[in-house]
Amino acid sequence: MKKMYRYAMALLLTGASLGLQSCEDYFDLHDNPNLVSNPPLNAMLSTATHKTGLNSQRVAATTAFYVQYLASPVAGNATDTYQVVDLTGSWDAIYLAMADIYDMKQRGQEEGASDYVGVANILMAYHLNLVIDHWGDGPYSQAFDNSTLTPAFDSSQDLYAEALRLLDEGIAELNKTDSRIQLSEEDDLIHGGDKTQWIRTANAFKARMLNKVSKQPSYNPGAVLSAVENSYQSNADDAEMMVFADINPWAAVSRSNTSLILGGWLSEQFVNQLNGTTYGVVDPRLTRITEPTVTGTFVGTPNGVGNVGPANNTVRDEVYISRNSPLTGDLAPVTIASYAEMKFIEAEAAFRAGDQQRAYTAYLDGIRAHMDKLGVPAGERDAYLNNPAVGVGAANLTLDLIFKEKYVVTYLNTEAWTDARRYDYQYANFDLPANADLTTFIRRIAFPQGEASKNPNTPDSPALSEPLWWDQ
């Protein structure tokens, strides 16, 4: 898929002292009393893990429309119809988080805190993947050393290689036993200071990355399976962040609906997969994801069309993100990566390697794990697994079935868009709006004051309009 993004780096400008000379007798202009000039590592860890969870949700709030988990109640919404949109806010949030992670790594190295260096490497790799997956090329090698206001763009291939290197280095750092400062259980908002869990998450991210290049000659299903084996062993291992200033940001979207600030409407595409319309089998996860309409039915909103119910957006005649779901409730965590997702990565890699039985076992285990995570009763879960449309047997397993079930598991996760592009959007009945523009549906955000023209990787370069290298 071709994309035309324009980029912007957040520029932090130092305050000028012109006209303020008379104030110098009262305070030092170089010191900001509102900023902590020398934060401790535990505070840096808290900030880095918190921003990682929020950035996961922030990016997914856009990509959820591209994979049709969500739809706009307003016809012709730009994001919902794959038109040009401005992702400056997401870009800035990602790079500000990366700057914090960079600082945490530097401090960890200075203080001999290998545990913090390891986590920093893993978090940096995650954010690099957000850049790769959603923009392609991006600044990195010159982004954090304060040497220039217009850092060069590194190629997506180089960023991909660097992210893999960081994951391996992160695992090596966490395997050390001589860290002078241990991870703070209280300030690690993802894994509570558990080094083993962080190593598993590094392998989970690695499995994602190695599987993402399934269209490339370099794809190695054996390497994918090895990473999966070293990743999560159960739902208890999932990488999640659940500390919010108010409530889960997905729940906040749902809450806003009650004030007619409309958002979080579930797509007809996603709802019809779950309610039996598309596959003839009702998925019991549906009632753990959303609530029925005022008529007791489950009706989604068509993408690009807007609300089609008779009440004109004023009553619940189509379904929304739920504030009661284990995934999007007020106190629910934001899931960054999960055991259920890993089982589907295993299923795909094993299938591509020709091991049908392993693929089928992982496929069933992934569905089972996700249903358990959502609290589906065992009887309903097993009835679904035993349905002939789902429990097809190892010999009849297909990539279509693997992608179909993984689509439910990655609900509201940024990784779903990676899968959709690799799968060429071949989900059953996946229809693009008539006015969708797949050649320009994400704008590359331009540098301010024309700075982009000074960068060899200018947003106007034809290369930036090509599909990401791993998509081809």
Side-chain angles (χ1 to χ4, degrees):
M1 173 175 297
K2 294 184 178 181
K3 301 180 290 136
M4 290 178 61
Y5 287 94
R6 297 192 181 277
Y7 300 94
M9 284 288 283
L11 303 179
L12 303 179
L13 304 179
T14 58
S17 59
L18 294 177
L20 298 178
Q21 287 86 347
S22 61
C23 297
E24 291 183 358
D25 293 336
Y26 300 96
F27 57 86
D28 185 345
L29 291 177
H30 296 289
D31 292 332
N32 185 339
N34 297 313
L35 296 179
V36 178
S37 60
N38 190 31
L41 272 171
N42 65 311
M44 300 174 88
L45 177 65
S46 179
T47 297
T49 50
H50 186 248
K51 287 186 175 182
T52 298
L54 293 182
N55 284 341
S56 172
Q57 187 276 335
R58 181 177 285 110
V59 175
T62 298
T63 59
F65 289 89
Y66 301 155
V67 295
Q68 297 186 3
Y69 290 137
L70 302 182
S72 174
V74 179
N77 174 275
T79 306
D80 200 17
T81 54
Y82 305 80
Q83 301 302 308
V84 173
V85 296
D86 188 337
L87 295 181
T88 303
S90 295
W91 175 272
D92 288 351
I94 288 169
Y95 270 93
L96 289 171
M98 290 168 72
D100 289 336
I101 293 165
Y102 177 87
D103 289 344
M104 185 173 83
K105 179 175 179 177
Q106 298 300 110
R107 176 65 60 80
Q109 290 174 330
E110 293 168 2
E111 299 190 15
S114 54
D115 289 355
Y116 285 84
V117 174
V119 171
N121 283 335
I122 295 166
L123 295 179
M124 185 67 82
Y126 177 75
H127 281 84
L128 281 179
N129 271 279
L130 290 180
V131 174
I132 297 165
D133 293 347
H134 303 93
W135 288 276
D137 301 348
Y140 176 71
S141 58
Q142 296 179 1
F144 310 111
D145 60 8
N146 298 321
S147 62
T148 176
L149 289 177
T150 56
F153 278 45
D154 298 289
S155 71
S156 58
Q157 292 96 325
D158 287 345
L159 294 179
Y160 177 86
E162 174 64 7
L164 282 176
R165 187 194 69 78
L166 285 169
L167 290 174
D168 287 338
E169 184 180 288
I171 292 169
E173 291 290 328
L174 287 167
N175 276 322
K176 292 179 179 179
T177 59
D178 59 351
S179 182
R180 294 179 60 186
I181 304 175
Q182 305 302 308
L183 288 177
S184 167
E185 178 180 348
E186 185 177 69
D187 296 294
D188 177 358
L189 305 184
I190 295 177
H191 285 310
D194 191 323
K195 290 173 55 173
T196 298
Q197 298 290 73
W198 275 110
I199 291 172
R200 288 175 178 168
T201 288
N203 280 292
F205 290 164
K206 189 173 181 179
R208 276 180 173 176
M209 292 188 64
L210 295 174
N211 200 51
K212 155 165 74 180
V213 295
S214 58
K215 291 184 176 182
Q216 298 299 309
S218 61
Y219 179 70
N220 182 348
V224 176
L225 293 171
S226 178
V228 167
E229 289 163 2
N230 290 305
S231 68
Y232 306 138
Q233 306 302 304
S234 72
N235 287 336
D237 294 336
D238 292 359
E240 300 178 325
M241 201 286 292
M242 60 181 299
V243 177
F244 312 110
D246 182 15
I247 59 177
N248 180 301
W250 293 118
V253 171
S254 180
R255 179 176 62 187
S256 294
N257 259 314
T258 62
S259 302
L260 295 184
I261 302 172
L262 303 179
W265 292 43
L266 297 191
S267 168
E268 179 182 61
Q269 167 69 27
F270 184 55
V271 173
N272 283 355
Q273 172 165 333
L274 298 174
N275 69 13
T277 300
T278 302
Y279 293 102
V281 53
V282 176
D283 191 320
R285 286 170 288 189
L286 177 60
T287 57
R288 277 79 183 176
I289 287 174
T290 189
E291 287 85 28
T293 65
V294 291
T295 60
T297 58
F298 291 89
V299 180
T301 303
N303 289 87
V305 175
N307 174 235
V308 296
N312 194 29
N313 302 341
T314 59
V315 301
R316 190 184 183 90
D317 55 2
E318 294 173 13
V319 295
Y320 320 136
I321 286 176
S322 171
R323 291 182 64 183
N324 300 311
S325 170
L327 300 176
T328 58
D330 287 10
L331 301 180
V334 170
T335 300
I336 301 167
S338 71
Y339 170 68
E341 180 195 342
M342 291 304 109
K343 299 312 290 184
F344 278 98
I345 291 177
E346 178 183 359
E348 180 183 346
F351 183 91
R352 294 185 187 277
D355 191 340
Q356 288 283 119
Q357 187 56 58
R358 178 173 182 177
Y360 185 64
T361 299
Y363 159 83
L364 294 178
D365 286 347
I367 299 171
R368 186 177 294 108
H370 194 239
M371 290 200 174
D372 289 346
K373 185 180 180 74
L374 268 63
V376 175
E380 294 180 38
R381 178 199 68 198
D382 294 343
Y384 182 81
L385 289 169
N386 291 328
N387 188 291
V390 179
V392 297
N396 297 313
L397 183 66
T398 63
L399 277 176
D400 290 333
L401 281 170
I402 292 171
F403 274 92
K404 168 227 173 186
E405 290 292 343
K406 190 181 181 187
Y407 179 65
V408 183
V409 165
T410 54
Y411 168 60
L412 299 182
N413 192 292
T414 61
E415 199 63 18
W417 193 35
T418 300
D419 285 339
R421 286 179 288 172
R422 290 192 303 115
Y423 190 46
D424 297 323
Y425 296 87
Q426 294 302 302
Y427 302 105
N429 300 332
F430 195 101
D431 293 323
L432 295 170
N435 57 340
D437 182 356
L438 295 186
T439 63
T440 61
F441 78 92
I442 299 180
R443 198 180 85 193
R444 294 188 185 272
I445 308 157
F447 274 100
Q449 290 85 46
E451 292 295 339
S453 63
K454 302 178 183 179
N455 193 298
N457 293 307
T458 169
D460 297 325
S461 167
L464 294 180
S465 298
E466 296 301 315
L468 293 179
W469 62 274
W470 54 262
D471 275 331
Q472 302 179 60

